[in-house]
Amino acid sequence: MKLPRLSVWAGISLLLLVVIALLYPQQIGVAVFKVSLVTTAGVVGYYLDRSLFPYARPDGYLAEHFHNRYKPLANKNDADIRVNEGYHLVFALAMIRRALIVAAAMLAVGLGA
């Protein structure tokens, strides 16, 4: 059985939280508060991108619906998800734009909190 994605990082995070609890128990509330702020900022950044660029969503440049990504590929060297011909750069820029907006929101909240 394969572990879910990012299981190792979730385990490391829990281990570090236990270390904080053992060394500085009074800081547990602060750590949980900061993690919840940064996580909320990520969600707000995502929805900010969706509302600012409603017609430039990255999945709009895909050749087929992304839910079909688990079907067997005809060619094992083929991409999991195809991008429409001629839109590779636009697709990449839309992905980078979204990542930058989410990162900026998380950084802003992280530095301000």
Side-chain angles (χ1 to χ4, degrees), residues 13 30-48 101-111 113:
S13 297
V30 175
V32 170
F33 176 69
K34 286 187 177 252
V35 167
S36 68
L37 278 179
V38 173
T39 304
T40 303
V43 172
V44 168
Y46 171 75
Y47 283 106
L48 182 65
I101 290 175
V102 171
M106 293 173 76
L107 186 63
V109 169
L111 289 175

Side-chain angles (χ1 to χ4, degrees), residues 41-42 44-50 52-53 94-108:
V44 168
Y46 171 75
Y47 283 106
L48 182 65
D49 177 75
R50 283 183 60 125
L52 288 174
F53 303 100
M95 298 277 287
I96 291 170
R97 180 206 68 226
R98 179 167 285 177
L100 287 174
I101 290 175
V102 171
M106 293 173 76
L107 186 63

